[in-house]
Amino acid sequence: ALALSFFPALAFAATARVDFAVGNVTLIAATGQQRPLHKGDAVEVGDTIKTNGGRAQLRFTDGAYVSLQPDTLFRVDQYRFEGRTDGNERGFFSLLQGGMRTITGLVGRSNKRNYQVQTRVATIGIRGTEYQLKLSDGLSGSVGEGEVGVCNAGGCLGVASGQSFFVLDPTTLPALTAARTYLPPPQPRPLQSPKIEDQSE
C-alpha cells in the first residue's frame, strides 16, 4: 500500500532544478504541454527537455549534474531519491537526440541497476562516474572518471576512465575507439562535482 501511494506523488515531485538555460530551451511535459525553460525551474518525472539551438544544465536532488548540448532531446523517465542510498533510489533517463555531459550523483551507488540512460542503439549503466554521450549516426561517448557499461542486443562493453566508445546500431557490439567524443561549445560555467555525502557501504 505504501508503494502504491508513493507513485502519484512521484509523478509530481520536482526531481531537478535548472542551473542555467541559454537560448530557446523548452520543456515538454508528459501531457504534451510546452513552455520555455528558465534558470531555477523545476523538472519532473515524464518531462522532456528540448534545447533547440540553446543549452541547459540540470541539477538533480541526489547531487547529479546533466549538461545538455544544442539540438538535444532528454527525458526523465523515472526518478526517486529520498536523501539516502538504500537501494530504493532510481534514475532512468532517455537521450533521444543530441549530446549530454554528466557527473552522476548518489542514485545507483548501492544498486547499479537503478541507474541507466536509454538511447535508440544502446543502454548506458554506471559505476559512479563522469561521462559524455553524443547520439547522431550511432552513439559515441567518452568517460572522464569512473566506468560505464554500454549494452545492446550485440552484447556489453565496459568503458573505463579515459576511454571512448562507439555503437553503430542496436545489434552491433559496442566497441572501444581512439576518437574522443567532442561536445562543443564549452560550458557557460564548469560542471561541479556533487558535494553530498555518499551513504552507501
Side-chain angles (χ1 to χ4, degrees), residues 4-144:
L4 290 175
S5 66
F6 174 78
F7 284 103
L10 178 65
F12 297 99
T15 64
R17 294 282 176 182
V18 179
D19 261 4
F20 62 77
V22 179
N24 181 27
V25 181
T26 58
L27 182 147
I28 307 170
T31 60
Q33 294 181 321
Q34 298 189 37
R35 61 178 172 84
L37 200 63
H38 305 289
K39 179 179 178 179
D41 284 352
V43 176
E44 303 171 345
V45 170
D47 288 345
T48 298
I49 309 302
K50 183 178 183 181
T51 59
N52 301 293
R55 303 172 67 257
Q57 181 170 297
L58 311 179
R59 175 171 48 86
F60 286 82
T61 57
D62 72 326
Y65 288 84
V66 176
S67 178
L68 303 176
Q69 303 298 302
D71 301 314
T72 292
L73 283 171
F74 174 83
R75 185 176 65 221
V76 181
D77 297 319
Q78 295 184 46
Y79 186 86
R80 175 178 178 178
F81 182 70
E82 298 180 333
R84 61 185 182 276
T85 54
D86 57 6
N88 293 316
E89 70 282 0
R90 63 178 61 88
F92 295 151
F93 312 96
S94 290
L95 179 64
L96 306 170
Q97 173 183 309
M100 59 174 278
R101 183 181 288 115
T102 183
I103 295 176
T104 58
L106 297 183
V107 166
R109 294 287 179 89
S110 62
N111 187 339
K112 310 308 178 187
R113 295 182 179 180
N114 288 353
Y115 174 100
Q116 64 179 225
V117 176
Q118 184 77 39
T119 75
R120 66 174 182 268
V121 297
T123 299
I124 310 300
I126 59 137
R127 294 173 178 84
T129 191
E130 178 269 319
Y131 67 92
Q132 52 195 25
L133 302 173
K134 184 177 181 180
L135 182 63
S136 54
D137 296 328
L139 176 70
S140 62
S142 294
V143 179

